Amino acid sequence: SAAIAAIEGYSVAPSDANFLWVKTRQPAQVVYDGLRARDILVRSFHDRGGRLANQLRITIGNREENDRLLEALDQLR
């Protein structure tokens, strides 16, 4: 979570679960689509609107998956 929060444009809610709620500066759909194009699947509830329009639910993966995610989020900011 600290690595995601260190990327400009993202913040992470505290979590003790195996997933993180990540707030995005831009619409979550934009980030979601960019991640999906890179074969990185996360959950997005942007179509529900409200506060969820700028949040993604990201499950914590293994080191390689997490590194790919961090690189992609940095590119999409």
Side-chain angles (χ1 to χ4, degrees):
S1 67
I4 293 173
I7 302 171
E8 184 180 338
Y10 302 98
S11 61
V12 183
S15 177
D16 290 324
N18 68 337
F19 64 87
L20 304 171
W21 280 106
V22 177
K23 186 174 181 181
T24 61
R25 176 174 45 201
Q26 56 186 324
Q29 182 174 7
V30 172
V31 180
Y32 172 82
D33 290 342
L35 292 173
R36 188 172 175 155
R38 292 165 173 81
D39 294 323
I40 299 172
L41 300 179
V42 299
R43 295 287 311 260
S44 179
F45 302 94
H46 58 268
D47 57 343
R48 294 186 185 182
R51 69 180 182 91
L52 295 177
N54 289 76
Q55 294 195 38
L56 299 171
R57 181 180 182 262
I58 299 176
T59 300
I60 297 169
N62 62 40
R63 181 172 298 279
E64 180 182 324
E65 292 166 335
N66 293 340
D67 289 344
R68 284 185 58 231
L69 172 70
L70 291 171
E71 182 178 334
L73 288 175
D74 190 44
Q75 293 170 355
L76 293 166
R77 62 186 162 106

